[in-house]
Amino acid sequence: MKKVIVDMDGVMADVYHQLAKFEKRDTGRDIELSELTGRPEIDVFPNGKKHVNEVGFFRTLPVMKGSREALEYLNKKYELYIVSAGMEFPNSLREKYDWLAEHFPFITWEQIVLCGSKKVVSGDVMIDDYPKNLDHFDGQRLIFTQPHNELIENETYKRVHSWEEIMNIL
């Protein structure tokens, strides 16, 4: 059975909408996600570092459209693991676990890997939005489109724009 590794933030959980919401709350500034193409998150969300360290940020992330249904399907078909780098933001560890338990109850604790670096992860397929996580991976690499990676072209990745596309591939 193939082992499928899925990132959480930016793939299952909509971090961009959460960052925009927190920015609006704190500054009153509206951020149009369509204007962020190719720009690093740190440039776009000046208060982002503060927000991701705030209690509740990861616990209240919106669910990415189509992810719940797709992951339920993939969980029945493959050996599925959710792998998220959470060590940089210690509050996120419990919040990510609780978020997954609420929104993806069919994923067991044994399928959740909260880590520092994803360089130790191996499998057949990895779905992630950050090239730094895909670059070391030896299996099939699916890059989930987010504004920060839209302009990246790399023939070792297959770009996917939605969970529907992922289901068609897998």
Side-chain angles (χ1 to χ4, degrees):
M1 185 179 288
K2 279 189 176 182
K3 185 189 296 184
V4 177
I5 311 297
V6 180
D7 178 37
M8 192 171 153
D9 302 323
V11 177
M12 298 170 66
D14 195 340
V15 176
Y16 271 87
H17 279 92
Q18 186 82 325
L19 284 167
K21 180 176 130 185
F22 276 53
E23 195 69 32
K24 171 87 171 159
R25 179 199 71 191
D26 289 0
T27 67
R29 186 173 145 239
D30 278 315
I31 295 177
E32 282 298 319
L33 298 184
S34 60
E35 297 169 9
L36 308 183
T37 301
R39 296 174 59 198
E41 291 166 312
I42 197 78
D43 293 347
V44 177
F45 301 104
N47 297 304
K49 194 76 164 169
K50 177 184 91 159
H51 293 145
V52 296
N53 283 295
E54 189 174 316
V55 172
F57 180 85
F58 290 96
R59 182 63 183 93
T60 59
L61 285 166
V63 175
M64 197 70 76
K65 182 180 182 232
S67 63
R68 187 176 301 127
E69 300 78 13
L71 284 163
E72 195 160 13
Y73 165 78
L74 295 175
N75 194 42
K76 291 174 184 164
K77 189 173 178 183
Y78 300 104
E79 187 180 346
L80 180 69
Y81 293 93
I82 309 306
V83 179
S84 187
M87 299 307 294
E88 187 178 357
F89 314 111
N91 288 334
S92 78
L93 297 172
R94 183 68 208 201
E95 291 188 11
K96 287 181 179 200
Y97 177 80
D98 290 344
W99 184 89
L100 283 165
E102 177 185 349
H103 299 291
F104 298 86
F106 51 88
I107 293 173
T108 69
W109 65 270
E110 294 167 311
Q111 294 173 273
I112 300 169
V113 180
L114 300 173
C115 59
S117 170
K118 295 183 186 179
K119 290 178 183 174
V120 300
V121 176
S122 65
D124 299 295
V125 179
M126 180 183 261
I127 306 164
D128 207 301
D129 63 314
Y130 272 102
K132 70 179 181 182
N133 296 325
L134 294 168
D135 287 342
H136 67 85
F137 191 73
D138 290 331
Q140 182 180 7
R141 304 166 186 176
L142 303 180
I143 189 163
F144 197 92
T145 300
Q146 286 294 342
H148 64 266
N149 71 33
E150 272 186 277
L151 301 179
I152 294 171
E153 292 182 30
N154 182 327
E155 70 264 0
T156 68
Y157 311 149
K158 177 162 182 55
R159 182 168 294 281
V160 290
H161 302 283
S162 69
W163 277 99
E164 186 177 345
E165 276 186 55
I166 292 168
M167 285 179 60
N168 288 334
I169 293 167
L170 298 176

